[in-house]
Amino acid sequence: MTASVSPRSSGGVSWWWADLGLPEPQDLLDGDAEADVVIVGAGYTGLWTAYYLAQLRPDLLIRVVEQRFAGYGASGRNGGWLSASVTGGLDGYSRTHPPAEVARFQLAMNDAVDEVIRVTERHAIDAHVRRGGTLLVARNDAQATRARAAALDAERWPETGARLLSARESRERIAVAGTRAAVWEPHCARIHPARLVRGLTGVVRGLGVRIHEGTTVHAISAGRVATDRGVLTARHVIRATEGFTAGLAGERRTWVPMNSSMIVTDPLPASVWDEIGWADHDTLEDFSHVYSYAQRTADGRIAIGGRGHPYRFGSGTDLDGDIPDRTVTHLRDVVCSWFPNLRDVPIAHAWSGVLGVPRNWRATVAHDAATGLGWAGGYVGTGVTAANLAGRTLADLVAGERTERTSLPWVDQRARRWEPEPLRWLGIHGLYRAYGVADRLEERGARRTSRIATMANRISGR
């Protein structure tokens, strides 16, 4: 008999935080105050910026402001992929930058994977780090065509280290049902995201940075951060709000808060792992257009995510990680499609979160020396690693340092604003329906990428 689709628990931020226990907000802002630097958002971007800036310029008074607790947003809800993937892809940057600069960007991302691991080792942060690479699996003819194209593309960008695997080679790593081919990339590690953000929070506080949790920011302007508990003034103000950016005054159309949902299974018995493999703990993704992504957790579960209900009207955000039943069913169906022997495994927890998506689907880092305003984000799901590189770059920019990081292609690149409603809602939901139709056509035997998906990519600007 098949186990119930309903998870035993849902929402409550994420299973990652349920595994650790939700923290109580600390050091709430108590009235107006001054600082040299105010960082809005205590996720990975804000914490990494504070971490590197506090060491680069220990003379600066740095404050971080967070509406709930550090890691409450995407940093505590993501899939735990410490991946070197460049948001928007290298080919997109090659249309505006010399190939050598694009290659340098990829190498910087590769190093960011190593840097996060170095920091966890330096400060004894037990983030369940396991370096295994990423396996991107193709399960029908059209997906296999995309896999081969991705491998050819990687030959032009050897810095990625990606290579094509046969069906047999792929199944030797992870026995995903129906595998036709795969692409394996070496620069990725599995992590427990909440453990990383909790450990980093403690380290940053130990460096003398004040993190004001339980403090909601309403508006940001040059030299001023208005909150529900007082006004902070500072020479430098850094926006590190990712998917929650749309909630700030004047930022509704800057980045779309795109929903991503996850479920996690109960721990699997050793006999099941013997069948599946996954001994190298690769992160796992498929080549579908509405793709899913997964990891093998340290305690032997499968955590898998996907888009689900992608967007709320008016750039609204859910605060507590609620997830519709239909999304749980969809993600469970994906798990059982990949691994048919898991149809009786219970789902322990389900949750969701938002990530920031710029109109050009490219992350950015910027700092205006004249006004002191800076920002980073728009990672479109690659933020676990990108936030580290962004934080180091912002620290350099605030300190007035010219480094190899401050001239990378994503620095100061701008995207136009998203369309007003209802065009935004109609466009995003229409595109994801198109991608879903394309996936179904390909599953029925199309040998090449559906024209519907190709058209959707052009319209979306991806």
Side-chain angles (χ1 to χ4, degrees):
M1 184 171 119
T2 301
S4 170
V5 170
S6 299
R8 286 195 301 279
S9 58
S10 182
V13 185
S14 70
W15 177 80
W16 308 114
W17 278 117
D19 183 45
L20 294 180
L22 289 178
E24 289 293 326
Q26 300 179 33
D27 195 12
L28 281 66
L29 183 64
D30 186 19
D32 297 350
E34 297 181 356
D36 296 304
V37 182
V38 174
I39 300 168
V40 180
Y44 291 141
T45 300
L47 293 172
W48 283 124
T49 303
Y51 174 78
Y52 290 107
L53 188 56
Q55 295 173 87
L56 189 62
R57 288 288 305 277
D59 58 307
L60 295 178
L61 177 60
I62 304 168
R63 295 177 185 251
V64 182
V65 187
E66 169 59 46
Q67 65 173 325
R68 291 282 187 92
F69 55 82
Y72 165 73
S75 299
R77 309 189 195 199
N78 62 80
W81 283 41
L82 185 61
S83 167
S85 177
V86 170
T87 307
L90 299 178
D91 285 341
Y93 282 102
S94 69
R95 291 192 287 270
T96 55
H97 292 79
E101 290 300 294
V102 180
R104 189 167 66 87
F105 191 11
Q106 181 61 65
L107 291 174
M109 285 294 293
N110 296 352
D111 177 68
V113 174
D114 298 335
E115 171 66 5
V116 172
I117 296 173
R118 285 192 293 264
V119 172
T120 63
E121 293 171 345
R122 183 181 308 133
H123 297 289
I125 299 173
D126 182 11
H128 291 177
V129 176
R130 179 68 180 265
R131 187 192 293 270
T134 294
L135 187 68
L136 299 98
V137 174
R139 302 181 62 236
N140 59 46
D141 288 339
Q143 291 183 17
T145 299
R146 288 197 291 279
R148 288 189 289 271
L152 286 174
D153 191 54
E155 292 180 4
R156 297 193 301 111
W157 304 110
E159 295 79 11
T160 67
R163 61 185 179 90
L164 185 68
L165 302 184
S166 67
R168 179 185 59 80
E169 290 172 321
S170 178
R171 286 193 296 267
E172 286 175 352
R173 297 191 75 87
I174 309 175
V176 176
T179 297
R180 306 287 184 86
V183 172
W184 182 76
E185 300 172 352
H187 302 291
C188 188
R190 184 258 356 246
I191 67 164
H192 186 302
R195 282 176 167 269
L196 175 59
V197 76
R198 183 182 67 174
L200 185 58
T201 300
V203 171
V204 169
R205 280 191 163 123
L207 292 172
V209 175
R210 293 190 68 179
I211 302 175
H212 299 296
E213 298 174 302
T215 304
T216 300
V217 173
H218 299 302
I220 297 172
S221 57
R224 189 175 189 273
V225 175
T227 84
D228 62 342
R229 302 184 62 83
V231 174
L232 287 168
T233 56
R235 171 68 184 90
H236 301 276
V237 174
I238 305 299
R239 190 187 79 220
T241 47
E242 187 58 0
F244 291 94
T245 300
L248 297 172
E251 304 291 350
R252 181 71 65 182
R253 293 167 54 195
T254 301
W255 295 334
V256 157
M258 198 76 76
N259 230 30
S260 195
S261 301
M262 294 196 71
I263 62 173
V264 65
T265 69
D266 277 355
L268 307 182
S271 59
V272 174
W273 285 118
D274 288 342
E275 295 178 40
I276 294 175
W278 216 332
D280 294 313
H281 291 254
D282 310 66
T283 54
L284 175 64
E285 185 180 326
D286 64 11
F287 268 98
S288 62
H289 301 292
V290 186
Y291 62 88
S292 295
Y293 52 91
Q295 68 148 284
R296 175 180 176 174
T297 69
D299 62 348
R301 306 168 188 262
I302 293 177
I304 183 168
R307 282 291 178 263
H309 186 72
Y311 175 73
R312 294 169 182 257
F313 189 85
S315 292
T317 54
D318 169 70
L319 298 180
D320 295 313
D322 292 336
I323 178 171
D325 290 342
R326 66 180 181 276
T327 302
V328 177
T329 300
H330 165 70
L331 291 173
R332 182 183 172 82
D333 288 346
V334 173
V335 170
C336 294
S337 173
W338 288 359
F339 308 112
N341 57 338
L342 298 188
R343 61 184 178 274
D344 295 328
V345 174
I347 303 302
H349 199 112
W351 70 97
S352 66
V354 293
L355 47 93
V357 180
R359 189 60 181 86
N360 64 355
W361 298 78
R362 295 186 193 176
T364 187
V365 181
H367 179 261
D368 185 335
T371 64
L373 285 170
W375 60 87
Y379 303 122
V380 197
T382 66
V384 179
T385 306
N388 175 270
L389 181 58
R392 280 189 284 169
T393 305
L394 277 172
D396 291 341
L397 291 169
V398 170
E401 301 281 345
R402 293 291 298 174
T403 67
E404 289 190 357
R405 288 183 290 272
T406 61
S407 62
L408 289 171
W410 68 341
V411 175
D412 287 328
Q413 66 91 23
R414 308 296 172 94
R416 65 184 175 91
R417 290 164 65 81
W418 281 87
E419 291 77 2
E421 296 290 20
L423 295 178
R424 194 157 70 247
W425 189 93
L426 291 169
I428 292 171
H429 281 269
L431 287 169
Y432 272 92
R433 288 181 182 178
Y435 287 131
V437 170
D439 280 332
R440 288 191 290 275
L441 290 173
E442 293 176 6
E443 289 166 3
R444 293 170 186 167
R447 299 187 65 82
R448 296 186 179 277
T449 295
S450 168
R451 292 180 180 178
I452 295 173
T454 302
M455 182 71 69
N457 284 339
R458 290 175 181 169
I459 294 172
S460 69
R462 296 177 68 174

